[in-house]
């Protein structure tokens, strides 16, 4: 029995061997027709991209047809368009927005401008006009001065509510700096600002009062001290040294 069992073992072991995997044939690449289709597709994509780029960059199809001006009051939209000098039909992508903004800012009343491209053919110019904070009365008219101290426009008569500026040229910017830093309630009391030098600024207030300011240094503190002093009787309020203010 043992001899027969030993003879059967090799046959049993041979049956348990894993079956052979079928051999794979050679890997075939894409057919000639597939290669041609891919190449044609790539060429078509390149042609479409080229056509789009040429249309956007070189043709007036997406060119400027309208210039929309916003934010103007003293200026007219036509004045801004003329200054912008945007050639009709200029492709939007080729429009030099910085150059357009620089030309518009040459208008004395313009403090700033934003240039926007709005496809298919609109350029929007949003203008920030200067606001006057004071006026210089001269023989040729009333000169409007903005918060930067720029004399930017001349009108026939001074607008109501603006303080007069009777200051030396070198004191103009410091005097305007005082006006723009004091509280609104105090600013409404100011009828005029005078200064022979940057260190000798004086505010003419309502009811015949005067505030001697000195330089524009420490203006917020001087304004706080002056608001307290104005509750007292007096005509001259000296806050040029806010640590030692006087009323007379």
């Amino acid at each position: 029995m043992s001899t027969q069992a030993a003879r059967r073992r090799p046959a049993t072991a041979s049956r348990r061997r894993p079956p052979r995997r079928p051999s794979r044939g050679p890997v075939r690449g894409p057919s000639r027709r597939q290669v041609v289709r891919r190449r044609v597709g790539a060429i078509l994509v390149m042609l479409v991209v080229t056509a789009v780029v040429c249309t956007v960059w070189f043709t007036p199809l997406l060119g400027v047809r309208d210039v929309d001006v916003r934010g103007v009051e003293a200026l007219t939209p036509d004045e801004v368009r003329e200054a912008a000098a945007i050639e009709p039909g200029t492709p939007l992508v080729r429009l030099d927005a910085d150059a357009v903004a620089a030309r518009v800012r040459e208008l004395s009343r313009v403090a700033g401008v934003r240039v926007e491209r709005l496809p298919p053919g609109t350029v929007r110019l949003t203008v920030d006009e200067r606001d006057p904070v004071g006026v210089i009365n001269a023989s040729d008219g009333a000169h409007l001065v903005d918060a930067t101290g720029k004399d930017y426009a001349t009108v026939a008569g001074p607008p109501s509510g603006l303080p007069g500026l009777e200051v030396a040229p070198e004191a103009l910017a410091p005097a305007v700096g005082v006006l723009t830093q004091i509280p609104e309630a105090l600013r409404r009391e100011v009828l005029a600002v005078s200064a022979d030098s940057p260190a000798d600024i004086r505010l003419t207030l309502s009811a015949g009062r005067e505030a001697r300011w000195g330089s524009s240094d420490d203006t917020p503190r001087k304004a706080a001290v002056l608001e307290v002093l104005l509750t007292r009787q007096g005509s001259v309020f000296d806050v040029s040294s806010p640590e030692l203010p006087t009323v007379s």
Side-chain angles (χ1 to χ4, degrees), residues 64-85:
V64 178
R65 294 192 296 272
D66 179 50
V67 178
D68 179 28
V69 178
R70 300 190 177 188
V72 293
E73 294 182 6
L75 292 169
T76 67
D78 285 340
E79 287 176 318
V80 176
R81 292 189 188 99
E82 183 178 354

Side-chain angles (χ1 to χ4, degrees), residues 84-123:
I86 300 174
E87 189 69 26
T90 302
L92 284 179
V93 295
R94 295 175 59 188
L95 181 70
D96 190 339
D98 291 337
V100 171
R103 291 194 293 268
V104 174
R105 283 196 298 268
E106 290 179 0
L107 294 171
S108 60
R109 286 185 176 271
V110 174
V113 60
R114 184 172 71 254
V115 181
E116 299 174 271
R117 303 178 183 89
L118 304 176
T122 298
V123 176

Side-chain angles (χ1 to χ4, degrees), residues 8-76:
R8 291 174 182 172
R9 284 173 187 168
T12 304
S14 63
R15 293 194 193 101
R16 292 179 181 176
R17 291 177 182 174
R20 294 182 179 180
R21 296 180 180 179
S23 60
R24 297 179 180 179
V27 179
R28 295 182 178 181
S31 66
R32 181 178 181 83
R33 179 176 297 178
Q34 290 174 326
V35 172
V36 171
R37 286 178 179 176
R38 291 177 183 175
R39 290 180 178 175
V40 171
I43 293 172
L44 289 176
V45 170
M46 292 178 61
L47 290 175
V48 170
V49 172
T50 302
V52 171
V53 170
C54 290
T55 300
V56 172
W57 194 263
F58 297 106
T59 71
L61 185 61
L62 293 178
V64 178
R65 294 192 296 272
D66 179 50
V67 178
D68 179 28
V69 178
R70 300 190 177 188
V72 293
E73 294 182 6
L75 292 169
T76 67

Side-chain angles (χ1 to χ4, degrees), residues 87-224:
E87 189 69 26
T90 302
L92 284 179
V93 295
R94 295 175 59 188
L95 181 70
D96 190 339
D98 291 337
V100 171
R103 291 194 293 268
V104 174
R105 283 196 298 268
E106 290 179 0
L107 294 171
S108 60
R109 286 185 176 271
V110 174
V113 60
R114 184 172 71 254
V115 181
E116 299 174 271
R117 303 178 183 89
L118 304 176
T122 298
V123 176
R124 177 174 295 165
L125 306 177
T126 304
V127 176
D128 179 21
E129 290 188 347
R130 298 182 187 275
D131 294 319
V133 298
V135 58
I136 299 174
N137 292 305
S139 58
D140 60 342
H143 293 243
L144 304 180
V145 178
D146 74 349
T148 67
K150 180 178 177 62
D151 177 356
Y152 68 90
T154 304
V155 295
S160 61
L162 289 180
L165 300 173
E166 302 172 3
V167 300
E170 65 273 14
L172 179 58
V176 169
V178 171
L179 278 176
T180 57
Q181 292 182 67
I182 61 178
E184 178 63 28
L186 180 56
R187 191 181 306 125
R188 288 196 295 266
E189 297 290 326
V190 179
L191 303 179
V193 181
S194 56
D196 297 326
S197 71
D200 184 33
I201 299 172
R202 301 178 301 279
L203 309 181
T204 301
L205 306 178
S206 61
R209 297 169 296 176
E210 180 183 84
R212 295 180 179 174
W213 210 263
S215 72
S216 60
D217 296 339
D218 212 7
T219 285
R221 185 179 180 188
K222 292 176 180 179

